[in-house]
Amino acid sequence: MSIVDTIRAGNEAQQGLKPRSELTARELLREVGSVLRLSEADAAKLGDVPADPNEDQTMIINMGPQHPSTHGVLRLMLELRGEEVLRCKPIIGYLHTGMEKTGENLTFMQGGTNVTRMDYVSPLNNELVFSMATEKLLGIDGDIPERAVWMRMLLSELNRMSSHLLFLATNGMDIGAVSMMIYGWREREEVLRFFQKVTGLRMNHNFIRPGGVAADLPAGWRDDVLKLLDLIPPRLEEYDTLMTGQPIWRERLQGVGVITAQEALALGATGPILRSTGTAWDLRRDMPYLHYPEMDFDVIVGSYGDAFDRYAIRLNEVRESMKIVRQILDRMPGGDYRIQDKKVTPPPRARIDESMEALIHHFKIFTEGFKVPEGEVYTAIESPRGEIGCYIASDGSATPYRIHVRAPSFVNIQCMPHMLRGGLIADAVAVISSVDPVLGEVDR
Amino acid sequence: MSDAPAAAPDEAVSAPEPPSRHGCPLSDSRGQVVLHPSRQQYVGVVRALLDEGFEMCVDLTATDYLLFPERSLPVEITPERFEIVVNLLSLSAKERIRLRVQVPADDPSIDSLFDLHPGTEAMEREVFDMFGITFNDHPDLTRILMPEDWEGFPLRKDYDTGTIPVQFSTDFGARS
Amino acid sequence: MSLIKDVRNDGLGGLEHNVITARIEDLVKWSRSRSSWPASFGLACCAIEMMATGAAHYDLSRFGMEVFRASPRQADIMIVAGRVSQKMAPVLRQVYDQMMEPKWVISMGVCASSGGMFNNYAIVQGVDQVVPVDVYAPGCPPTPETLIHAIETLHQLIEDGHLMKRRAESGAGANVHVQEIPAGAESIPVLLGTR
């Protein structure tokens, strides 16, 4: 079948949105009402789609997968009545990379390279959750050296800052403040420059590995971080002037994409979406990991569950992350940057020339990989998008038997049909942007 | 909910009652609580846990134990080829719990959790797409990640990764 | 008559100083290379680096390329940034077919060039199986310097005219591989204003 035939035939008809007229009453009720754990009376009130579809002509249009306003290759099928969105269905899978299958063939040392490319906007968080799950399986999660833990926290918070700056940039551009794209990326470059100095790469670092981190912080890192912390607050004030207080911005985002706490919990949404509904749930505070219990920071919570709340939450989370980074700066201890367990971490390069045992360990770790005792764990941390979890089942060999990453954006995308219902199509772009999906982790 | 009994010094003689919760065996995996309901008990247990306060279903996935059938399970559970793994979260109690349900290879189907936890819609579609396990009464059980006409279920262990051997045809000399 | 002579010879303001003559062919190639608009086809991590290249620090607009056209009909270059999955391949071909001639393709990153680290069932092992590629930019993701190097290589090829000749003969792309420019150990300080 030639490529032209493939294009004409493949319409994802089964995966697409069926027109309203072809849905039975029960199907529509499930789609509209019962999903929200509401009573049938409340559900009927919500589903104010026209009873007789012949009366109002509805139109099904397709948005994406290649579209400037979607964050990556997300395809939305929208059923419209004029400008009003009645129903919506996101179709994903355009970036499916088979990472979970590839992960079964990579050793636990190499797993970081695979996992880091899922949520490519906050790669260090992916590596962190994978490393924490591996360490739990190995049983060394209590023995990670202090410096490694603090370094992980520092990098994780800086990554949260760079991810939220990217959100501010793309959100601004999607709403129409196109210069925001330039400003947000300008700040992000500063953070990426620090990452490049520490990890060697701007993105997809593979730096946080099971047992600690890959290398120590370079000399002069404190000055670099202080420079960052001095640079960003005045720029955030600029964003407040440009966006937060501005009437056009508020008109476009307030009351748009509203979701209630009940809906968010029913759909499994976490992160800024859940916090915008008023539910104060942040894994860093409620089920803490690393040294977050010792950090003094606030969990930002919204009240209306609309897109403006989500924007404001992320903007203020940058400020909170800076607060945490300042505390880490003061308290970073010295010591090892990775656990000294010879079976897990490779020896320093100099030792390989001296000791035969070091050479053998190096060889075994990098070719065969270290064996992880059998079992299965699920570890979760708070990524900028919500709860990211890593489920690893090990069969005692050097590669995971099954690795599954619970991606926050995969679950958050399910909120979109509910946020879009009854809104205008122009708001669709604002809503997608406020959900802040990263298609790499949605499709994995 | 019965707590785990204290270990008797001579366990081989007096077998203590195994821990259970909502009628299913309970086990401990690296400090995490795991329940093992059967397929018939599955939805009932999830509903009971929902009433107990586990209001969010964080993750629903599956594992194909074709190549590792001898994994450790409580003795009263018969291992099957597939396992559905559900992670639940209670925000009020700040607790997690995991469910592992055995699904046989000759009848890979199980009830859907959609009516209890609507957030499982996409997760169950992914499990169907990757493993071929069907969910009864799911509103829209179609492929989600692969193209709709794809044949085969990629994450099964008898499905090859599809690695293409790479032949380096150019002689790359010393890097300049 | 003398009026015309005055205008022609009017020192620096005259026609003889303000008129450039060249072959149309050269002018066309020059303008194509200096103002080639990319079609936005950012897929994954490389898209983030592509956006960073278009941002203020590594400015693409000095090469005439900051306007990423959403509509492929208005675009000249398609930068395939990211891994192309099996489901996306027909979409990629469709967008490529919608672009008007002359069009060029830069395959950005190792996933687009060869499948990258994902040698499995889900990823097309190189977009050159779907579209003809002119320049391959390696890296995972390529640093903005590498992408600019690839873009400038393409611009040079356009300006020299070699690409159009080869395309007319065989329909194939130029298949030029550029060397990766790694992220510098010495970061170059950039003054971004003193506010």
Side-chain angles (χ1 to χ4, degrees), chain A residues 189-190 192-198 202 224 227, chain C residues 57-58 145 182-190:
Chain A
E189 283 296 321
E190 305 299 323
L192 289 184
R193 190 171 307 150
F194 180 71
F195 283 150
Q196 181 186 308
K197 206 162 178 187
V198 172
R202 290 157 53 95
D224 292 317
K227 220 179 348 170
Chain C
H57 196 217
Y58 303 96
E145 287 103 343
E186 296 271 311
S187 31
I188 304 156
V190 176

PDB file of all heavy atoms in Angstrom, chain A residues 189-190 192-198 202 224 227, chain C residues 57-58 145 182-190:
ATOM      1  N   GLU A 189      17.522  29.862  29.580  1.00  0.00           N
ATOM      2  CA  GLU A 189      18.905  29.683  29.135  1.00  0.00           C
ATOM      3  C   GLU A 189      19.874  29.782  30.298  1.00  0.00           C
ATOM      4  O   GLU A 189      20.881  29.069  30.351  1.00  0.00           O
ATOM      5  CB  GLU A 189      19.280  30.753  28.098  1.00  0.00           C
ATOM      6  CG  GLU A 189      18.734  30.525  26.723  1.00  0.00           C
ATOM      7  CD  GLU A 189      19.296  29.275  26.097  1.00  0.00           C
ATOM      8  OE1 GLU A 189      20.482  28.987  26.273  1.00  0.00           O
ATOM      9  OE2 GLU A 189      18.525  28.578  25.426  1.00  0.00           O
ATOM     10  N   GLU A 190      19.577  30.674  31.242  1.00  0.00           N
ATOM     11  CA  GLU A 190      20.474  30.810  32.386  1.00  0.00           C
ATOM     12  C   GLU A 190      20.511  29.525  33.194  1.00  0.00           C
ATOM     13  O   GLU A 190      21.578  29.053  33.610  1.00  0.00           O
ATOM     14  CB  GLU A 190      20.019  31.974  33.273  1.00  0.00           C
ATOM     15  CG  GLU A 190      19.886  33.297  32.559  1.00  0.00           C
ATOM     16  CD  GLU A 190      21.200  33.769  31.976  1.00  0.00           C
ATOM     17  OE1 GLU A 190      22.230  33.545  32.623  1.00  0.00           O
ATOM     18  OE2 GLU A 190      21.179  34.335  30.879  1.00  0.00           O
ATOM     19  N   LEU A 192      19.740  26.546  32.103  1.00  0.00           N
ATOM     20  CA  LEU A 192      20.365  25.491  31.311  1.00  0.00           C
ATOM     21  C   LEU A 192      21.881  25.643  31.287  1.00  0.00           C
ATOM     22  O   LEU A 192      22.611  24.645  31.214  1.00  0.00           O
ATOM     23  CB  LEU A 192      19.836  25.517  29.876  1.00  0.00           C
ATOM     24  CG  LEU A 192      18.396  25.068  29.685  1.00  0.00           C
ATOM     25  CD1 LEU A 192      18.051  25.046  28.216  1.00  0.00           C
ATOM     26  CD2 LEU A 192      18.177  23.699  30.262  1.00  0.00           C
ATOM     27  N   ARG A 193      22.345  26.877  31.359  1.00  0.00           N
ATOM     28  CA  ARG A 193      23.783  27.076  31.386  1.00  0.00           C
ATOM     29  C   ARG A 193      24.368  26.465  32.651  1.00  0.00           C
ATOM     30  O   ARG A 193      25.437  25.854  32.631  1.00  0.00           O
ATOM     31  CB  ARG A 193      24.113  28.555  31.299  1.00  0.00           C
ATOM     32  CG  ARG A 193      25.581  28.817  31.072  1.00  0.00           C
ATOM     33  CD  ARG A 193      25.838  30.255  30.788  1.00  0.00           C
ATOM     34  NE  ARG A 193      25.014  30.731  29.704  1.00  0.00           N
ATOM     35  CZ  ARG A 193      24.588  31.982  29.593  1.00  0.00           C
ATOM     36  NH1 ARG A 193      24.900  32.852  30.501  1.00  0.00           N
ATOM     37  NH2 ARG A 193      23.838  32.356  28.585  1.00  0.00           N
ATOM     38  N   PHE A 194      23.646  26.626  33.762  1.00  0.00           N
ATOM     39  CA  PHE A 194      24.111  26.000  34.996  1.00  0.00           C
ATOM     40  C   PHE A 194      24.108  24.492  34.869  1.00  0.00           C
ATOM     41  O   PHE A 194      25.061  23.810  35.272  1.00  0.00           O
ATOM     42  CB  PHE A 194      23.236  26.439  36.170  1.00  0.00           C
ATOM     43  CG  PHE A 194      23.660  25.844  37.474  1.00  0.00           C
ATOM     44  CD1 PHE A 194      24.826  26.253  38.086  1.00  0.00           C
ATOM     45  CD2 PHE A 194      22.912  24.856  38.089  1.00  0.00           C
ATOM     46  CE1 PHE A 194      25.230  25.692  39.284  1.00  0.00           C
ATOM     47  CE2 PHE A 194      23.306  24.296  39.277  1.00  0.00           C
ATOM     48  CZ  PHE A 194      24.471  24.717  39.876  1.00  0.00           C
ATOM     49  N   PHE A 195      23.054  23.941  34.273  1.00  0.00           N
ATOM     50  CA  PHE A 195      23.007  22.490  34.088  1.00  0.00           C
ATOM     51  C   PHE A 195      24.162  22.015  33.224  1.00  0.00           C
ATOM     52  O   PHE A 195      24.765  20.973  33.459  1.00  0.00           O
ATOM     53  CB  PHE A 195      21.697  22.069  33.427  1.00  0.00           C
ATOM     54  CG  PHE A 195      20.529  22.059  34.358  1.00  0.00           C
ATOM     55  CD1 PHE A 195      19.256  22.312  33.887  1.00  0.00           C
ATOM     56  CD2 PHE A 195      20.684  21.780  35.692  1.00  0.00           C
ATOM     57  CE1 PHE A 195      18.169  22.296  34.743  1.00  0.00           C
ATOM     58  CE2 PHE A 195      19.605  21.760  36.548  1.00  0.00           C
ATOM     59  CZ  PHE A 195      18.344  22.025  36.065  1.00  0.00           C
ATOM     60  N   GLN A 196      24.467  22.786  32.215  1.00  0.00           N
ATOM     61  CA  GLN A 196      25.555  22.383  31.330  1.00  0.00           C
ATOM     62  C   GLN A 196      26.860  22.355  32.091  1.00  0.00           C
ATOM     63  O   GLN A 196      27.694  21.476  31.890  1.00  0.00           O
ATOM     64  CB  GLN A 196      25.630  23.373  30.175  1.00  0.00           C
ATOM     65  CG  GLN A 196      26.695  23.060  29.162  1.00  0.00           C
ATOM     66  CD  GLN A 196      26.776  24.178  28.149  1.00  0.00           C
ATOM     67  OE1 GLN A 196      25.772  24.581  27.565  1.00  0.00           O
ATOM     68  NE2 GLN A 196      27.958  24.695  27.953  1.00  0.00           N
ATOM     69  N   LYS A 197      27.019  23.307  32.994  1.00  0.00           N
ATOM     70  CA  LYS A 197      28.257  23.338  33.767  1.00  0.00           C
ATOM     71  C   LYS A 197      28.335  22.136  34.708  1.00  0.00           C
ATOM     72  O   LYS A 197      29.403  21.548  34.891  1.00  0.00           O
ATOM     73  CB  LYS A 197      28.283  24.622  34.584  1.00  0.00           C
ATOM     74  CG  LYS A 197      29.659  25.078  34.912  1.00  0.00           C
ATOM     75  CD  LYS A 197      29.669  26.525  35.312  1.00  0.00           C
ATOM     76  CE  LYS A 197      31.098  26.902  35.678  1.00  0.00           C
ATOM     77  NZ  LYS A 197      31.198  28.216  36.218  1.00  0.00           N
ATOM     78  N   VAL A 198      27.214  21.759  35.282  1.00  0.00           N
ATOM     79  CA  VAL A 198      27.237  20.676  36.276  1.00  0.00           C
ATOM     80  C   VAL A 198      27.178  19.310  35.614  1.00  0.00           C
ATOM     81  O   VAL A 198      27.962  18.421  35.915  1.00  0.00           O
ATOM     82  CB  VAL A 198      26.054  20.836  37.250  1.00  0.00           C
ATOM     83  CG1 VAL A 198      25.948  19.642  38.154  1.00  0.00           C
ATOM     84  CG2 VAL A 198      26.209  22.095  38.059  1.00  0.00           C
ATOM     85  N   ARG A 202      22.776  20.291  28.175  1.00  0.00           N
ATOM     86  CA  ARG A 202      21.688  21.229  28.452  1.00  0.00           C
ATOM     87  C   ARG A 202      20.386  20.511  28.755  1.00  0.00           C
ATOM     88  O   ARG A 202      19.549  21.005  29.501  1.00  0.00           O
ATOM     89  CB  ARG A 202      21.473  22.147  27.234  1.00  0.00           C
ATOM     90  CG  ARG A 202      22.587  23.131  27.006  1.00  0.00           C
ATOM     91  CD  ARG A 202      22.586  23.565  25.579  1.00  0.00           C
ATOM     92  NE  ARG A 202      21.284  24.045  25.164  1.00  0.00           N
ATOM     93  CZ  ARG A 202      20.929  25.327  25.170  1.00  0.00           C
ATOM     94  NH1 ARG A 202      21.787  26.227  25.552  1.00  0.00           N
ATOM     95  NH2 ARG A 202      19.728  25.695  24.789  1.00  0.00           N
ATOM     96  N   ASP A 224      27.436  30.684  40.695  1.00  0.00           N
ATOM     97  CA  ASP A 224      26.521  30.579  39.566  1.00  0.00           C
ATOM     98  C   ASP A 224      25.077  30.548  40.031  1.00  0.00           C
ATOM     99  O   ASP A 224      24.206  31.215  39.463  1.00  0.00           O
ATOM    100  CB  ASP A 224      26.820  29.305  38.758  1.00  0.00           C
ATOM    101  CG  ASP A 224      28.153  29.397  38.070  1.00  0.00           C
ATOM    102  OD1 ASP A 224      28.442  30.459  37.513  1.00  0.00           O
ATOM    103  OD2 ASP A 224      28.898  28.404  38.098  1.00  0.00           O
ATOM    104  N   LYS A 227      23.999  33.915  41.192  1.00  0.00           N
ATOM    105  CA  LYS A 227      23.729  34.801  40.050  1.00  0.00           C
ATOM    106  C   LYS A 227      22.331  34.557  39.501  1.00  0.00           C
ATOM    107  O   LYS A 227      21.578  35.468  39.193  1.00  0.00           O
ATOM    108  CB  LYS A 227      24.780  34.530  38.959  1.00  0.00           C
ATOM    109  CG  LYS A 227      25.239  35.785  38.291  1.00  0.00           C
ATOM    110  CD  LYS A 227      26.284  35.630  37.211  1.00  0.00           C
ATOM    111  CE  LYS A 227      26.966  34.312  37.083  1.00  0.00           C
ATOM    112  NZ  LYS A 227      27.776  34.216  35.872  1.00  0.00           N
TER     113      LYS A 227
ATOM    114  N   HIS C  57      18.787  34.043  22.842  1.00  0.00           N
ATOM    115  CA  HIS C  57      20.210  33.842  23.030  1.00  0.00           C
ATOM    116  C   HIS C  57      20.898  33.382  21.753  1.00  0.00           C
ATOM    117  O   HIS C  57      21.953  33.890  21.384  1.00  0.00           O
ATOM    118  CB  HIS C  57      20.425  32.815  24.157  1.00  0.00           C
ATOM    119  CG  HIS C  57      21.815  32.805  24.684  1.00  0.00           C
ATOM    120  ND1 HIS C  57      22.439  31.649  25.068  1.00  0.00           N
ATOM    121  CD2 HIS C  57      22.702  33.789  24.882  1.00  0.00           C
ATOM    122  CE1 HIS C  57      23.659  31.939  25.485  1.00  0.00           C
ATOM    123  NE2 HIS C  57      23.835  33.225  25.392  1.00  0.00           N
ATOM    124  N   TYR C  58      20.344  32.374  21.117  1.00  0.00           N
ATOM    125  CA  TYR C  58      20.879  31.908  19.834  1.00  0.00           C
ATOM    126  C   TYR C  58      19.870  32.316  18.777  1.00  0.00           C
ATOM    127  O   TYR C  58      19.088  31.516  18.326  1.00  0.00           O
ATOM    128  CB  TYR C  58      20.983  30.383  19.833  1.00  0.00           C
ATOM    129  CG  TYR C  58      21.807  29.806  20.935  1.00  0.00           C
ATOM    130  CD1 TYR C  58      21.200  29.356  22.087  1.00  0.00           C
ATOM    131  CD2 TYR C  58      23.181  29.674  20.808  1.00  0.00           C
ATOM    132  CE1 TYR C  58      21.940  28.811  23.097  1.00  0.00           C
ATOM    133  CE2 TYR C  58      23.926  29.110  21.811  1.00  0.00           C
ATOM    134  CZ  TYR C  58      23.304  28.691  22.965  1.00  0.00           C
ATOM    135  OH  TYR C  58      24.038  28.125  23.959  1.00  0.00           O
ATOM    136  N   GLU C 145      24.071  25.445  18.694  1.00  0.00           N
ATOM    137  CA  GLU C 145      25.152  25.737  17.750  1.00  0.00           C
ATOM    138  C   GLU C 145      25.182  24.739  16.616  1.00  0.00           C
ATOM    139  O   GLU C 145      25.426  25.083  15.452  1.00  0.00           O
ATOM    140  CB  GLU C 145      26.512  25.714  18.471  1.00  0.00           C
ATOM    141  CG  GLU C 145      26.764  26.894  19.378  1.00  0.00           C
ATOM    142  CD  GLU C 145      26.582  26.525  20.834  1.00  0.00           C
ATOM    143  OE1 GLU C 145      25.966  25.485  21.116  1.00  0.00           O
ATOM    144  OE2 GLU C 145      27.072  27.269  21.689  1.00  0.00           O
ATOM    145  N   PRO C 182      29.754  20.388  20.347  1.00  0.00           N
ATOM    146  CA  PRO C 182      29.278  20.061  21.694  1.00  0.00           C
ATOM    147  C   PRO C 182      29.075  21.316  22.529  1.00  0.00           C
ATOM    148  O   PRO C 182      29.621  22.371  22.219  1.00  0.00           O
ATOM    149  CB  PRO C 182      30.405  19.194  22.275  1.00  0.00           C
ATOM    150  CG  PRO C 182      31.595  19.601  21.507  1.00  0.00           C
ATOM    151  CD  PRO C 182      31.149  20.062  20.158  1.00  0.00           C
ATOM    152  N   ALA C 183      28.307  21.163  23.573  1.00  0.00           N
ATOM    153  CA  ALA C 183      28.061  22.282  24.456  1.00  0.00           C
ATOM    154  C   ALA C 183      29.387  22.723  25.058  1.00  0.00           C
ATOM    155  O   ALA C 183      30.126  21.929  25.598  1.00  0.00           O
ATOM    156  CB  ALA C 183      27.098  21.843  25.555  1.00  0.00           C
ATOM    157  N   GLY C 184      29.703  23.986  24.965  1.00  0.00           N
ATOM    158  CA  GLY C 184      31.025  24.470  25.326  1.00  0.00           C
ATOM    159  C   GLY C 184      31.293  24.370  26.808  1.00  0.00           C
ATOM    160  O   GLY C 184      30.437  24.592  27.639  1.00  0.00           O
ATOM    161  N   ALA C 185      32.525  24.022  27.151  1.00  0.00           N
ATOM    162  CA  ALA C 185      32.890  23.990  28.561  1.00  0.00           C
ATOM    163  C   ALA C 185      32.975  25.403  29.097  1.00  0.00           C
ATOM    164  O   ALA C 185      32.596  25.685  30.218  1.00  0.00           O
ATOM    165  CB  ALA C 185      34.229  23.289  28.730  1.00  0.00           C
ATOM    166  N   GLU C 186      33.482  26.294  28.257  1.00  0.00           N
ATOM    167  CA  GLU C 186      33.552  27.693  28.669  1.00  0.00           C
ATOM    168  C   GLU C 186      32.303  28.379  28.165  1.00  0.00           C
ATOM    169  O   GLU C 186      32.152  28.577  26.977  1.00  0.00           O
ATOM    170  CB  GLU C 186      34.756  28.365  27.996  1.00  0.00           C
ATOM    171  CG  GLU C 186      36.095  27.805  28.413  1.00  0.00           C
ATOM    172  CD  GLU C 186      36.583  28.563  29.633  1.00  0.00           C
ATOM    173  OE1 GLU C 186      36.565  29.803  29.607  1.00  0.00           O
ATOM    174  OE2 GLU C 186      36.975  27.914  30.592  1.00  0.00           O
ATOM    175  N   SER C 187      31.429  28.724  29.070  1.00  0.00           N
ATOM    176  CA  SER C 187      30.219  29.376  28.566  1.00  0.00           C
ATOM    177  C   SER C 187      30.536  30.829  28.272  1.00  0.00           C
ATOM    178  O   SER C 187      31.288  31.479  28.968  1.00  0.00           O
ATOM    179  CB  SER C 187      29.091  29.263  29.570  1.00  0.00           C
ATOM    180  OG  SER C 187      29.588  29.248  30.865  1.00  0.00           O
ATOM    181  N   ILE C 188      29.975  31.282  27.192  1.00  0.00           N
ATOM    182  CA  ILE C 188      30.265  32.635  26.740  1.00  0.00           C
ATOM    183  C   ILE C 188      29.294  33.563  27.452  1.00  0.00           C
ATOM    184  O   ILE C 188      28.090  33.424  27.317  1.00  0.00           O
ATOM    185  CB  ILE C 188      30.062  32.733  25.214  1.00  0.00           C
ATOM    186  CG1 ILE C 188      30.941  31.693  24.543  1.00  0.00           C
ATOM    187  CG2 ILE C 188      30.393  34.130  24.743  1.00  0.00           C
ATOM    188  CD1 ILE C 188      30.456  31.295  23.191  1.00  0.00           C
ATOM    189  N   PRO C 189      29.801  34.508  28.223  1.00  0.00           N
ATOM    190  CA  PRO C 189      28.853  35.376  28.931  1.00  0.00           C
ATOM    191  C   PRO C 189      28.148  36.302  27.962  1.00  0.00           C
ATOM    192  O   PRO C 189      28.750  36.867  27.064  1.00  0.00           O
ATOM    193  CB  PRO C 189      29.741  36.164  29.899  1.00  0.00           C
ATOM    194  CG  PRO C 189      31.098  36.095  29.316  1.00  0.00           C
ATOM    195  CD  PRO C 189      31.193  34.853  28.505  1.00  0.00           C
ATOM    196  N   VAL C 190      26.885  36.421  28.128  1.00  0.00           N
ATOM    197  CA  VAL C 190      26.089  37.290  27.271  1.00  0.00           C
ATOM    198  C   VAL C 190      25.436  38.334  28.154  1.00  0.00           C
ATOM    199  O   VAL C 190      24.820  38.006  29.151  1.00  0.00           O
ATOM    200  CB  VAL C 190      25.010  36.481  26.533  1.00  0.00           C
ATOM    201  CG1 VAL C 190      24.119  37.375  25.714  1.00  0.00           C
ATOM    202  CG2 VAL C 190      25.654  35.447  25.653  1.00  0.00           C
TER     203      VAL C 190
END
